[in-house]
Amino acid sequence: MSTAPGFFVSFEGGDGAGKTTQARLLADWLGAVTGREVVVTREPGGTDLGREIRRLVLHGDHVAPRAEALLYAADRAHHVATLVRPALERGAVVVTDRYLDSSVAYQAGGRELAEDDVERLSRWGTDGLLPDVTVLLDLPPDVAASRRGGEPDRLERAGDDFHRRVRDAFLRRAAADPGRWLVVDGSGDVDDVQAQIRVDLASRLDLTPVVSEAVRTAGDAPRRESR
Ligand code: TYD
């Protein structure tokens, strides 16, 4: 867990689970209820260097599994050092669309590298920074696939078994650390899923007392986009 004055929320889940939409809606709400600066970001690609890595890892040719793990870890190391930690130290709320658990789910679960190795790599890269709360948007891979539009990227083309292993890995990690994870069924409509996330998060972060105050100030909070 982060010891900085801000707080750190990550969204995780399979491709097409709706993380990006839900992360943005949650960020707006957290800005309103806390009155803090909110930074919305993502992995891979939350920084200039990360955008280069994102292009290589998602839109390039074949990448060997260990190289893939190192590229995601490099993106994360730079992201944390230059964007996430400074924001947390300013007292901001940081909401990231994917973080370290994606590496464990995709590169260990999906690519079948050793889970300990993949986790250790990211923990080293980030100097041990973990989210205060991780929201898993859970959805069966076939439903998630049917929601995706456009040309599939390299990871989206990895096949049904790969995506089943990714989902199982996320669910196993969530079950092993219920203090950090909130598992939310991603199959409902956008507003229902968001409402569920807010209720769960408010009680987890002890925000309930400030929610009524926030009704007055909703929409006033500053927001900074990093992408
Ligand atoms: P993302 O931009 O979240 O794609 P989508 O919006 O389609 O979910 O993530 C890009 C892809 O990178 C996604 O397929 C998951 C994969 N990924 C990893 O394999 N390992 C990682 O550590 C991260 C952060 C992402």
Side-chain angles (χ1 to χ4, degrees):
M1 214 190 244
S2 139
T3 51
F7 59 85
F8 186 24
V9 179
S10 63
F11 273 77
E12 298 286 6
D15 297 86
K19 292 178 298 12
T20 307
T21 306
Q22 295 298 342
R24 283 167 181 272
L25 290 170
L26 187 77
D28 287 342
W29 179 76
L30 281 173
V33 296
T34 65
R36 292 178 188 232
E37 175 195 4
V38 178
V39 175
V40 186
T41 185
R42 72 167 167 182
E43 291 187 1
T47 62
D48 288 344
L49 175 65
R51 280 180 274 282
E52 293 289 309
I53 295 174
R54 182 180 177 92
R55 187 177 56 74
L56 293 170
V57 79
L58 291 180
H59 303 293
D61 293 334
H62 171 70
V63 180
R66 283 168 192 255
E68 185 179 277
L70 287 162
L71 286 168
Y72 282 113
D75 166 72
R76 181 162 305 121
H78 190 68
H79 185 217
V80 166
T82 64
L83 192 143
V84 176
R85 255 189 218 281
L88 292 173
E89 273 154 20
R90 292 196 299 275
V93 177
V94 177
V95 178
T96 185
D97 183 351
R98 298 196 183 279
Y99 191 62
L100 169 156
D101 301 291
S102 277
S103 282
V104 180
Y106 282 78
Q107 279 65 58
R111 298 282 185 231
E112 302 182 283
L113 296 175
E115 189 166 321
D116 281 357
D117 289 346
V118 174
E119 180 154 7
R120 219 170 326 115
L121 190 61
S122 270
R123 293 240 191 180
W124 179 80
T126 62
D127 201 11
L129 181 71
L130 280 180
D132 297 293
V133 173
T134 296
V135 179
L136 173 59
L137 281 184
D138 181 52
L139 205 58
D142 53 325
V143 180
S146 71
R147 287 183 175 187
R148 296 199 287 266
E151 259 313 284
D153 63 37
R154 215 173 49 77
L155 275 285
E156 286 169 353
R157 290 195 300 270
D160 295 346
D161 285 348
F162 177 94
H163 288 286
R164 266 192 293 277
R165 289 197 299 275
V166 168
R167 184 195 192 195
D168 290 348
F170 276 132
L171 287 170
R172 265 200 319 276
R173 280 180 80 70
D177 189 3
R180 172 161 71 94
W181 289 78
L182 293 174
V183 181
V184 176
D185 177 355
S187 63
D189 74 25
V190 170
D191 293 343
D192 291 343
V193 172
Q194 181 63 203
Q196 189 61 52
I197 295 170
R198 290 180 187 182
V199 166
D200 291 351
L201 201 78
S203 69
R204 184 68 61 87
L205 294 178
D206 210 15
L207 289 174
T208 320
V210 292
V211 169
S212 48
E213 171 65 14
V215 172
R216 277 194 320 107
T217 55
D220 293 348
R223 164 151 171 207
R224 207 183 78 186
E225 294 284 340
S226 75
R227 56 177 178 174

